[in-house]
Amino acid sequence: MVYIEYDGIIVKGVGGAYVVLATDGKHYTCTPRGIFRNRNTTPLIGDYVAISVTDQVKELATLHTIKPRKNQLRRPPVANIDQAIITVSTAQPSFNAGLLDRFLVLVALEDIPVLVCVNKTDMESNVDEFATYANAGYPLVYTSAETSDGLQALREKMAGKINVFAGPSGVGKSSLINALMPNLGLATGELSAKLGRGKHTTRHSEIFPLGEKPADGYCVDTPGFTSLDVEIPKQELGSLFLEFREFSPLCRFSNCLHVKEKDCAVKDAVGQEISTQRYESYVKMVQGQSKF
Ligand code: GDP
Ligand code: ZN
Protein backbone atom coordinates (compact mmCIF):
# COMPACT_ATOMS: atom_id res chain seq x y z
CA MET A 1 0.00 0.00 0.00
CA VAL A 2 1.35 3.40 -0.98
CA TYR A 3 0.46 6.33 1.19
CA ILE A 4 0.18 9.73 -0.44
CA GLU A 5 2.27 12.38 1.27
CA TYR A 6 1.33 16.01 1.62
CA ASP A 7 2.69 19.08 3.33
CA GLY A 8 0.21 21.23 5.19
CA ILE A 9 -0.52 23.44 8.15
CA ILE A 10 -2.36 22.52 11.35
CA VAL A 11 -5.45 24.71 11.52
CA LYS A 12 -7.30 23.13 14.43
CA GLY A 13 -6.93 20.66 17.27
CA VAL A 14 -9.79 18.32 18.12
CA GLY A 15 -9.23 16.09 21.11
CA GLY A 16 -6.01 14.27 20.37
CA ALA A 17 -6.35 14.77 16.61
CA TYR A 18 -5.44 17.65 14.35
CA VAL A 19 -7.03 19.10 11.25
CA VAL A 20 -4.41 19.78 8.60
CA LEU A 21 -5.05 21.95 5.57
CA ALA A 22 -2.89 20.17 2.99
CA THR A 23 -1.38 21.51 -0.21
CA ASP A 24 -4.12 19.72 -2.18
CA GLY A 25 -6.63 22.11 -0.56
CA LYS A 26 -8.31 19.41 1.56
CA HIS A 27 -8.69 19.25 5.32
CA TYR A 28 -7.35 15.97 6.70
CA THR A 29 -8.06 14.76 10.19
CA CYS A 30 -4.69 13.56 11.41
CA THR A 31 -3.57 11.32 14.23
CA PRO A 32 -0.08 12.19 15.41
CA ARG A 33 2.48 9.42 15.47
CA GLY A 34 3.57 8.22 18.89
CA ILE A 35 7.04 9.67 18.39
CA PHE A 36 5.76 13.12 19.31
CA ARG A 37 4.57 11.90 22.68
CA ASN A 38 7.90 10.21 23.29
CA ARG A 39 9.80 13.35 22.40
CA ASN A 40 7.50 15.51 24.45
CA THR A 41 6.46 17.53 21.42
CA THR A 42 2.88 18.64 21.12
CA PRO A 43 1.79 19.67 17.66
CA LEU A 44 0.39 23.22 17.66
CA ILE A 45 -1.91 25.06 15.32
CA GLY A 46 0.27 26.96 12.91
CA ASP A 47 2.75 24.10 12.69
CA TYR A 48 3.92 23.26 9.19
CA VAL A 49 3.73 19.49 8.95
CA ALA A 50 4.02 16.51 6.64
CA ILE A 51 1.26 13.89 6.59
CA SER A 52 0.60 10.45 5.06
CA VAL A 53 -2.95 9.99 3.84
CA THR A 54 -4.48 6.77 5.17
CA ASP A 55 -7.99 7.23 3.76
CA GLN A 56 -8.43 9.56 0.79
CA VAL A 57 -12.24 9.35 0.87
CA LYS A 58 -12.68 10.06 4.57
CA GLU A 59 -9.74 12.47 4.48
CA LEU A 60 -7.78 10.77 7.24
CA ALA A 61 -4.02 10.88 7.64
CA THR A 62 -1.11 10.35 9.99
CA LEU A 63 0.90 13.37 11.08
CA HIS A 64 4.53 12.32 11.11
CA THR A 65 6.75 15.39 10.78
CA ILE A 66 6.64 18.85 12.37
CA LYS A 67 8.88 21.36 10.64
CA PRO A 68 11.03 23.65 12.82
CA ARG A 69 9.07 26.52 14.39
CA LYS A 70 10.10 30.11 13.97
CA ASN A 71 8.25 31.23 17.07
CA GLN A 72 5.56 30.10 19.44
CA LEU A 73 2.87 31.76 21.54
CA ARG A 74 1.73 30.29 24.80
CA ARG A 75 -1.77 31.75 24.90
CA PRO A 76 -3.33 30.83 22.59
CA PRO A 77 -0.90 28.01 21.81
CA VAL A 78 0.05 28.71 18.21
CA ALA A 79 3.27 28.41 16.22
CA ASN A 80 4.86 30.32 13.35
CA ILE A 81 3.09 33.64 13.73
CA ASP A 82 4.11 36.07 11.02
CA GLN A 83 2.41 39.13 12.44
CA ALA A 84 0.79 40.22 15.69
CA ILE A 85 -1.82 42.90 15.11
CA ILE A 86 -1.83 44.96 18.29
CA THR A 87 -5.19 46.61 18.33
CA VAL A 88 -6.05 49.76 20.24
CA SER A 89 -9.06 52.02 20.06
CA THR A 90 -9.45 55.76 19.72
CA ALA A 91 -12.29 55.74 22.27
CA GLN A 92 -14.22 53.38 24.58
CA PRO A 93 -11.75 52.42 25.92
CA SER A 94 -9.74 55.56 25.31
CA PHE A 95 -6.20 55.18 24.13
CA ASN A 96 -3.62 54.25 26.75
CA ALA A 97 -0.09 54.72 25.39
CA GLY A 98 1.62 52.92 28.28
CA LEU A 99 -0.52 49.87 27.65
CA LEU A 100 0.30 49.84 23.93
CA ASP A 101 4.00 50.16 24.79
CA ARG A 102 3.71 47.14 27.03
CA PHE A 103 2.06 45.06 24.29
CA LEU A 104 4.73 46.15 21.80
CA VAL A 105 7.44 44.98 24.17
CA LEU A 106 5.79 41.59 24.75
CA VAL A 107 5.44 40.94 21.04
CA ALA A 108 9.02 42.02 20.36
CA LEU A 109 10.18 39.66 23.10
CA GLU A 110 8.68 36.74 21.16
CA ASP A 111 10.33 37.97 17.95
CA ILE A 112 7.02 38.47 16.21
CA PRO A 113 6.69 41.30 13.67
CA VAL A 114 4.00 43.75 14.65
CA LEU A 115 1.28 45.83 13.05
CA VAL A 116 -0.54 48.46 15.12
CA CYS A 117 -4.24 48.66 14.29
CA VAL A 118 -6.07 51.76 15.49
CA ASN A 119 -9.74 50.81 15.57
CA LYS A 120 -12.99 52.70 16.17
CA THR A 121 -11.97 55.59 13.91
CA ASP A 122 -15.71 56.20 13.48
CA MET A 123 -15.91 57.30 17.15
CA GLU A 124 -12.94 59.64 17.18
CA SER A 125 -11.24 60.74 14.00
CA ASN A 126 -8.39 62.69 15.60
CA VAL A 127 -5.58 60.19 15.40
CA ASP A 128 -2.59 62.54 15.75
CA GLU A 129 -1.28 60.85 18.87
CA PHE A 130 -0.51 57.70 16.88
CA ALA A 131 2.05 59.53 14.74
CA THR A 132 4.52 58.84 17.58
CA TYR A 133 4.38 55.16 16.70
CA ALA A 134 4.71 55.68 12.97
CA ASN A 135 7.74 57.89 13.66
CA ALA A 136 9.21 55.20 15.88
CA GLY A 137 9.05 52.80 12.94
CA TYR A 138 5.92 50.76 13.68
CA PRO A 139 3.57 50.07 10.76
CA LEU A 140 0.05 51.36 11.42
CA VAL A 141 -3.40 50.85 9.97
CA TYR A 142 -6.60 52.71 10.87
CA THR A 143 -9.90 50.82 10.91
CA SER A 144 -13.49 50.84 11.93
CA ALA A 145 -15.07 47.42 12.38
CA GLU A 146 -18.36 49.30 12.55
CA THR A 147 -18.24 51.07 9.17
CA SER A 148 -15.65 48.76 7.50
CA ASP A 149 -13.38 51.73 6.86
CA GLY A 150 -9.78 50.62 6.46
CA LEU A 151 -10.62 46.92 6.39
CA GLN A 152 -9.28 46.52 2.87
CA ALA A 153 -5.98 48.11 3.89
CA LEU A 154 -5.87 45.78 6.88
CA ARG A 155 -6.52 42.75 4.67
CA GLU A 156 -3.67 43.76 2.40
CA LYS A 157 -1.31 43.96 5.35
CA MET A 158 -2.43 40.49 6.54
CA ALA A 159 -2.02 38.81 3.15
CA GLY A 160 0.37 35.89 2.91
CA LYS A 161 0.85 35.72 6.69
CA ILE A 162 -0.36 33.91 9.77
CA ASN A 163 -1.82 36.73 11.85
CA VAL A 164 -2.90 36.95 15.45
CA PHE A 165 -4.75 39.85 17.04
CA ALA A 166 -3.57 41.13 20.41
CA GLY A 167 -4.38 44.08 22.61
CA PRO A 168 -6.56 45.30 25.46
CA SER A 169 -10.10 44.16 26.04
CA GLY A 170 -12.94 46.06 24.39
CA VAL A 171 -10.96 47.64 21.55
CA GLY A 172 -12.72 45.56 18.88
CA LYS A 173 -10.48 42.56 18.20
CA SER A 174 -13.37 40.10 17.91
CA SER A 175 -15.34 42.58 15.83
CA LEU A 176 -12.43 42.93 13.41
CA ILE A 177 -11.96 39.17 13.20
CA ASN A 178 -15.67 38.82 12.43
CA ALA A 179 -15.56 41.58 9.85
CA LEU A 180 -12.61 39.94 8.12
CA MET A 181 -14.11 36.46 8.26
CA PRO A 182 -17.89 36.88 8.30
CA ASN A 183 -18.56 33.15 8.35
CA LEU A 184 -16.92 32.79 11.71
CA GLY A 185 -19.62 34.30 13.92
CA LEU A 186 -17.33 34.93 16.87
CA ALA A 187 -19.08 36.30 19.94
CA THR A 188 -18.06 39.90 20.56
CA GLY A 189 -18.14 41.68 23.92
CA GLU A 190 -21.88 42.14 24.26
CA LEU A 191 -22.82 38.83 22.76
CA SER A 192 -20.38 36.79 24.80
CA ALA A 193 -21.72 38.43 27.97
CA LYS A 194 -25.26 37.52 26.93
CA LEU A 195 -24.27 33.94 26.28
CA GLY A 196 -22.53 33.82 29.64
CA ARG A 197 -19.28 33.06 27.92
CA GLY A 198 -16.88 35.34 29.69
CA LYS A 199 -13.27 35.69 28.79
CA HIS A 200 -12.31 32.91 31.16
CA THR A 201 -13.99 30.20 29.15
CA THR A 202 -11.39 28.08 27.46
CA ARG A 203 -12.00 27.41 23.86
CA HIS A 204 -9.84 25.79 21.26
CA SER A 205 -8.26 28.24 18.92
CA GLU A 206 -8.43 27.81 15.23
CA ILE A 207 -6.67 29.25 12.22
CA PHE A 208 -8.92 30.53 9.50
CA PRO A 209 -8.05 31.35 5.93
CA LEU A 210 -8.66 34.99 5.01
CA GLY A 211 -9.61 34.12 1.46
CA GLU A 212 -9.72 31.39 -1.12
CA LYS A 213 -5.99 31.23 -1.73
CA PRO A 214 -3.18 30.55 0.75
CA ALA A 215 -1.69 33.87 -0.44
CA ASP A 216 -4.64 35.67 1.22
CA GLY A 217 -3.19 34.64 4.57
CA TYR A 218 -4.57 33.21 7.79
CA CYS A 219 -5.85 34.54 11.06
CA VAL A 220 -6.04 32.97 14.50
CA ASP A 221 -9.57 33.36 15.87
CA THR A 222 -8.48 33.89 19.47
CA PRO A 223 -6.56 37.02 20.46
CA GLY A 224 -3.15 36.52 22.04
CA PHE A 225 -1.31 38.45 24.76
CA THR A 226 -4.44 39.17 26.67
CA SER A 227 -2.43 38.90 29.86
CA LEU A 228 0.45 41.25 30.55
CA ASP A 229 1.98 39.69 33.63
CA VAL A 230 5.21 38.70 31.94
CA GLU A 231 8.46 39.62 33.65
CA ILE A 232 11.00 41.06 31.25
CA PRO A 233 14.64 41.36 32.31
CA LYS A 234 15.61 45.04 32.57
CA GLN A 235 18.65 44.56 30.37
CA GLU A 236 16.48 43.36 27.50
CA LEU A 237 13.90 46.14 27.60
CA GLY A 238 15.91 48.72 25.65
CA SER A 239 16.30 46.48 22.61
CA LEU A 240 12.53 45.91 22.58
CA PHE A 241 11.85 49.60 21.90
CA LEU A 242 12.29 49.80 18.15
CA GLU A 243 13.46 53.41 17.98
CA PHE A 244 16.14 52.93 20.68
CA ARG A 245 18.03 50.44 18.56
CA GLU A 246 19.98 52.87 16.44
CA PHE A 247 21.11 54.85 19.47
CA SER A 248 21.97 52.23 22.11
CA PRO A 249 25.19 51.09 20.37
CA LEU A 250 26.38 54.70 20.74
CA CYS A 251 26.00 54.77 24.54
CA ARG A 252 29.25 54.93 26.49
CA PHE A 253 28.46 51.76 28.45
CA SER A 254 27.53 48.64 26.52
CA ASN A 255 25.18 47.59 29.33
CA CYS A 256 23.61 51.06 29.54
CA LEU A 257 20.05 51.02 30.89
CA HIS A 258 19.50 54.54 29.52
CA VAL A 259 18.30 55.84 32.86
CA LYS A 260 21.05 57.30 35.07
CA GLU A 261 24.15 56.55 33.02
CA LYS A 262 26.48 59.20 31.62
CA ASP A 263 26.90 59.70 27.89
CA CYS A 264 23.74 57.88 26.99
CA ALA A 265 22.84 58.28 23.30
CA VAL A 266 19.28 57.16 23.93
CA LYS A 267 18.69 59.86 26.56
CA ASP A 268 20.31 62.41 24.26
CA ALA A 269 17.77 61.57 21.56
CA VAL A 270 14.74 61.97 23.84
CA GLY A 271 12.58 64.87 22.76
CA GLN A 272 14.06 64.58 19.27
CA GLU A 273 14.15 61.23 17.47
CA ILE A 274 12.74 59.45 20.53
CA SER A 275 9.45 60.69 21.91
CA THR A 276 9.36 61.73 25.54
CA GLN A 277 6.23 59.70 26.11
CA ARG A 278 7.84 56.50 24.80
CA TYR A 279 10.97 57.12 26.86
CA GLU A 280 8.90 57.68 30.01
CA SER A 281 7.06 54.43 29.35
CA TYR A 282 10.41 52.71 29.09
CA VAL A 283 11.68 54.17 32.35
CA LYS A 284 8.51 53.03 34.14
CA MET A 285 9.06 49.51 32.85
CA VAL A 286 12.72 49.48 33.89
CA GLN A 287 11.79 50.70 37.36
CA GLY A 288 9.00 48.16 37.58
CA GLN A 289 6.37 50.87 38.05
CA SER A 290 4.17 50.03 35.09
CA LYS A 291 0.60 49.56 36.18
CA PHE A 292 -1.83 47.95 33.81
P1 GDP B 1 -12.51 42.85 22.02
O1 GDP B 1 -12.64 42.70 23.50
O2 GDP B 1 -11.23 43.58 21.68
O3 GDP B 1 -12.64 41.57 21.26
O4 GDP B 1 -13.68 43.86 21.56
P2 GDP B 1 -15.10 43.52 20.86
O5 GDP B 1 -14.90 43.15 19.44
O6 GDP B 1 -15.83 42.56 21.73
O7 GDP B 1 -15.76 44.97 20.87
C1 GDP B 1 -16.10 45.67 22.06
C2 GDP B 1 -17.21 46.64 21.77
O8 GDP B 1 -16.80 47.64 20.85
C3 GDP B 1 -18.43 45.97 21.12
O9 GDP B 1 -19.58 46.58 21.67
C4 GDP B 1 -18.31 46.32 19.65
O10 GDP B 1 -19.54 46.37 18.99
C5 GDP B 1 -17.66 47.68 19.71
N1 GDP B 1 -16.83 47.99 18.51
C6 GDP B 1 -15.87 47.20 17.97
N2 GDP B 1 -15.29 47.80 16.91
C7 GDP B 1 -15.89 49.01 16.78
C8 GDP B 1 -15.71 50.12 15.87
O11 GDP B 1 -14.87 50.12 14.96
N3 GDP B 1 -16.51 51.21 16.08
C9 GDP B 1 -17.44 51.26 17.08
N4 GDP B 1 -18.15 52.38 17.19
N5 GDP B 1 -17.62 50.25 17.94
C10 GDP B 1 -16.86 49.13 17.81
ZN1 ZN C 1 22.09 54.55 27.06
Side-chain angles (χ1 to χ4, degrees):
M1 176 133 188
V2 180
Y3 294 115
I4 305 169
E5 294 275 319
Y6 284 116
D7 284 343
I9 179 171
I10 301 181
V11 294
K12 187 179 173 179
V14 271
Y18 297 88
V19 178
V20 171
L21 173 57
T23 44
D24 66 345
K26 292 189 178 150
H27 288 84
Y28 292 91
T29 302
C30 301
T31 326
R33 280 228 186 118
I35 47 171
F36 296 129
R37 270 192 302 279
N38 302 339
R39 286 190 203 151
N40 239 340
T41 312
T42 312
L44 295 180
I45 63 166
D47 267 328
Y48 292 103
V49 296
I51 61 171
S52 302
V53 177
T54 49
D55 189 325
Q56 190 67 256
V57 179
K58 291 187 187 154
E59 298 183 352
L60 301 177
T62 317
L63 194 168
H64 59 78
T65 307
I66 300 178
K67 310 209 167 157
R69 289 173 186 155
K70 64 175 179 188
N71 57 39
Q72 181 177 334
L73 256 194
R74 243 174 356 117
R75 270 193 299 173
V78 35
N80 300 317
I81 296 161
D82 295 306
Q83 179 163 266
I85 305 173
I86 303 183
T87 310
V88 294
S89 60
T90 57
Q92 291 184 19
S94 56
F95 176 58
N96 176 338
L99 193 54
L100 172 57
D101 294 334
R102 178 88 180 158
F103 275 105
L104 287 170
V105 157
L106 289 180
V107 170
L109 188 67
E110 302 297 330
D111 244 342
I112 303 173
V114 68
L115 170 67
V116 177
C117 176
V118 179
N119 189 42
K120 304 201 190 184
T121 51
D122 59 295
M123 298 189 92
E124 170 61 66
S125 53
N126 180 4
V127 289
D128 292 347
E129 57 195 328
F130 299 101
T132 307
Y133 293 88
N135 293 338
Y138 295 99
L140 262 84
V141 64
Y142 297 92
T143 58
S144 165
E146 186 79 13
T147 65
S148 297
D149 261 8
L151 283 189
Q152 192 50 36
L154 175 58
R155 266 183 195 287
E156 282 163 21
K157 290 190 188 309
M158 295 172 81
K161 298 173 180 157
I162 299 180
N163 298 274
V164 64
F165 279 88
S169 173
V171 296
K173 298 179 298 295
S174 317
S175 305
L176 285 167
I177 294 171
N178 276 335
L180 292 164
M181 300 177 288
N183 298 332
L184 211 61
L186 205 67
T188 55
E190 291 154 359
L191 199 59
S192 57
K194 247 184 243 163
L195 296 172
R197 284 197 221 129
K199 41 185 160 182
H200 301 298
T201 324
T202 43
R203 205 173 58 79
H204 286 291
S205 307
E206 233 177 294
I207 289 184
F208 284 90
L210 287 158
E212 309 275 293
K213 312 179 293 294
D216 295 326
Y218 300 91
C219 185
V220 181
D221 71 343
T222 316
F225 292 111
T226 40
S227 121
L228 294 166
D229 53 0
V230 179
E231 281 291 321
I232 298 172
K234 275 184 202 175
Q235 271 308 337
E236 276 191 50
L237 270 170
S239 65
L240 304 176
F241 277 68
L242 204 56
E243 70 274 45
F244 290 13
R245 289 181 189 171
E246 63 175 292
F247 298 102
S248 46
L250 307 174
C251 296
R252 181 204 284 217
F253 303 104
S254 63
N255 61 350
C256 186
L257 278 178
H258 323 304
V259 181
K260 294 201 180 97
E261 295 85 347
K262 273 200 189 129
D263 298 330
C264 169
V266 169
K267 265 195 292 178
D268 288 345
V270 174
Q272 301 172 57
E273 292 93 337
I274 296 176
S275 96
T276 309
Q277 169 237 306
R278 287 271 293 166
Y279 178 70
E280 284 173 356
S281 246
Y282 166 78
V283 172
K284 275 191 195 157
M285 288 188 210
V286 170
Q287 297 176 339
Q289 299 170 358
S290 299
K291 296 235 168 12
F292 301 102

